[in-house]
Amino acid sequence: MKDGMDHRALLTAGTPIIDVRAPVEFAQGAMPGAINLPLMNDDERAAVGTCYKRNGADAALSLGHQLVSGETRRQRLDAWQAAIAQYPDAWLCCARGGQRSHITQRWLREAGVDVPLVAGGYKSLRQAAISATDELVSQPVVLIGGCTGNGKTQLVRTQPLGIDLEGLAHHRGSSFGRTLQPQLPQASFENHLAVALLQKAQQREEVRWVLEDEGHMIGANHLPESLRERMAQSPIAVVEDAFEVRLARLQEEYFTHMHHAFTAAYGEEQGWQEYSEYLHHGLFAIRRRLGLQRFAQLTDLLDTALLAQQRTGATDVHFCWLEPLLNEYYDPMYTWQLERKADKIVFRGGWDDVSEWLVSRM
């Protein structure tokens, strides 16, 4: 808490934040729902920073006012006012609660709009997010494990205290895990995780998190150390559905859904190309683990399946390479990983069985 401000309450409430930092700063990390409407763009900020180092604070402040004046100032003021009209409960935020947010607040006040400032700026919100995560993940955790296609993520999403780490990371965790949403910068991922934890935990006397059994990396994002440590000590419930059920889930998720998503985003022709490249990239990413000869064989099968899908619209044609990939690579890998955690496994069963077990335990 800084200057009497409850930063954690702002995060929990999902308070809209008008972030006036430069785009380059915002791109390195931001809070969920924050809107980047900078007082200075990247070039202006760089120029003011150089001036500060050479000539001091007064000269830098003078240059800043010179750079953001006239029509530039009017356009930025209009953008802030439009955002506040859309989000009347918004707060202003800069890097540390210093000059930029105070100048923005003053200009808005002169225009007849009063907006509160986040004391300590983004830095204080970030510190609050980190401390909230460290505190909340100290509560009990149950992990949902199982081989690819067992619906672990879907099961987590059904739980009141389930935290969908893959959803927060915009990645499904495997070599085929990328989605059409780009992954967040690491700091932003951690901020989103903190807010998800805070919001789920509020108004609950007892907290027991349900998480998917993940590695330390989800795509390019890594789990915070405090969470990794808690997960390493946590019990695991393993989902074991029939192979055919798993295939049907994967067919829907990786072929039907992804083809539709790429087509919706890029149009029919380019969407097909993007979808094809997505599948090829998934195989290519694990080529060394498959062995180059097997990788070439599975790639030929993938090309054949893509031609058949393009011709007929069927997605089960991909089973010709998906089944051996599961049997020869993914299932042995995850079975080996689970064997190393055998002492942590507390329940095994089908998806419905694990769901019922969670209800009785939570």
Side-chain angles (χ1 to χ4, degrees):
M1 192 175 292
K2 185 179 179 66
D3 299 335
M5 170 170 286
D6 190 344
H7 294 88
R8 188 176 290 196
L10 284 179
L11 295 174
T12 305
T15 305
I17 302 292
I18 298 174
D19 192 324
V20 300
R21 293 178 299 154
V24 67
E25 297 170 280
F26 189 84
Q28 291 169 353
M31 291 299 154
I35 309 157
N36 189 211
L37 296 173
L39 172 65
M40 295 183 293
N41 63 30
D42 293 338
D43 291 340
E44 292 159 353
R45 171 178 172 267
V48 169
T50 300
C51 182
Y52 178 85
K53 290 176 184 176
R54 291 176 178 172
N55 304 310
D58 290 342
L61 185 60
S62 176
L63 176 60
H65 280 288
Q66 179 185 333
L67 291 172
V68 188
S69 61
E71 181 63 16
T72 299
R73 172 175 163 168
R74 188 191 67 77
Q75 288 176 356
R76 290 177 193 175
L77 192 56
D78 287 347
W80 295 326
Q81 288 178 293
I84 293 161
Q86 186 175 359
Y87 303 103
D89 56 342
W91 287 56
L92 287 174
C93 174
C94 66
R96 294 178 178 82
Q99 288 278 11
R100 286 181 287 181
S101 56
H102 280 88
I103 289 169
T104 303
Q105 185 187 50
R106 186 173 73 248
W107 288 357
L108 281 165
R109 191 171 286 150
E110 290 168 358
V113 181
D114 199 12
V115 188
L117 300 182
V118 176
Y122 171 76
K123 182 178 180 181
S124 289
L125 287 174
R126 174 85 175 121
Q127 289 171 339
I130 292 170
S131 67
T133 296
D134 290 345
E135 177 185 319
L136 289 169
V137 302
S138 68
Q139 299 298 315
V141 170
V142 175
L143 299 178
I144 306 301
C147 292
T148 301
N150 269 302
K152 303 184 293 291
T153 302
Q154 294 93 322
L155 186 53
V156 167
R157 289 173 180 167
T158 67
Q159 301 302 305
L161 286 170
I163 298 293
D164 179 9
L165 296 171
E166 294 184 356
L168 293 170
H170 301 165
H171 198 281
R172 289 183 297 253
S174 73
S175 61
F176 296 90
R178 81 174 181 92
T179 69
L180 270 69
Q181 286 181 291
Q183 287 202 260
L184 297 171
Q186 179 62 29
S188 295
F189 166 69
E190 293 174 7
N191 295 339
H192 280 67
L193 171 60
V195 170
L197 292 166
L198 283 165
Q199 292 179 340
K200 291 266 189 179
Q202 66 179 329
Q203 299 177 344
R204 289 187 177 272
E205 294 181 7
E206 206 173 324
V207 171
R208 185 186 294 271
W209 302 111
V210 180
L211 306 172
E212 187 169 341
D213 184 20
E214 304 280 0
H216 72 282
M217 298 289 294
I218 306 178
N221 293 143
H222 61 81
L223 300 181
E225 183 63 27
S226 58
L227 178 57
R228 291 206 304 271
E229 290 177 357
R230 168 55 69 185
M231 291 172 70
Q233 304 162 1
S234 298
I236 306 171
V238 179
V239 185
E240 297 178 322
D241 272 344
F243 191 74
E244 294 73 19
V245 175
R246 295 169 53 207
L247 278 177
R249 284 200 190 99
L250 294 171
Q251 177 185 0
E252 172 62 28
E253 186 172 353
Y254 288 101
F255 307 125
T256 305
H257 171 74
M258 290 302 287
H259 178 226
H260 175 77
F262 279 117
T263 301
Y266 297 105
E268 199 68 44
E269 187 173 340
Q270 187 183 348
W272 178 262
Q273 184 63 32
E274 295 286 342
Y275 167 67
S276 300
E277 289 179 6
Y278 151 75
L279 292 176
H280 275 103
H281 181 270
L283 266 183
F284 183 79
I286 54 175
R287 66 195 182 284
R288 297 193 186 281
R289 295 181 182 180
L290 292 171
L292 296 183
Q293 182 178 356
R294 191 56 170 143
F295 163 68
Q297 293 168 345
L298 292 176
T299 299
D300 287 342
L301 291 172
L302 168 57
D303 288 333
T304 300
L306 282 168
L307 286 173
Q309 181 184 353
Q310 194 170 33
R311 188 176 66 252
T312 67
T315 52
D316 59 357
V317 293
H318 290 282
F319 291 171
C320 67
W321 63 271
L322 180 60
E323 288 192 38
L325 187 65
L326 292 175
N327 286 321
E328 298 169 20
Y329 175 68
Y330 279 110
D331 285 6
M333 177 183 65
Y334 197 73
T335 299
W336 175 77
Q337 291 172 348
L338 271 184
E339 285 172 353
R340 299 176 66 201
K341 307 172 186 176
D343 59 323
K344 305 287 194 310
I345 297 173
V346 293
F347 188 82
R348 289 179 181 268
W351 195 96
D352 291 333
D353 300 321
V354 176
S355 180
E356 289 176 13
W357 179 83
L358 285 170
V359 170
S360 68
R361 186 178 175 88
M362 306 303 285

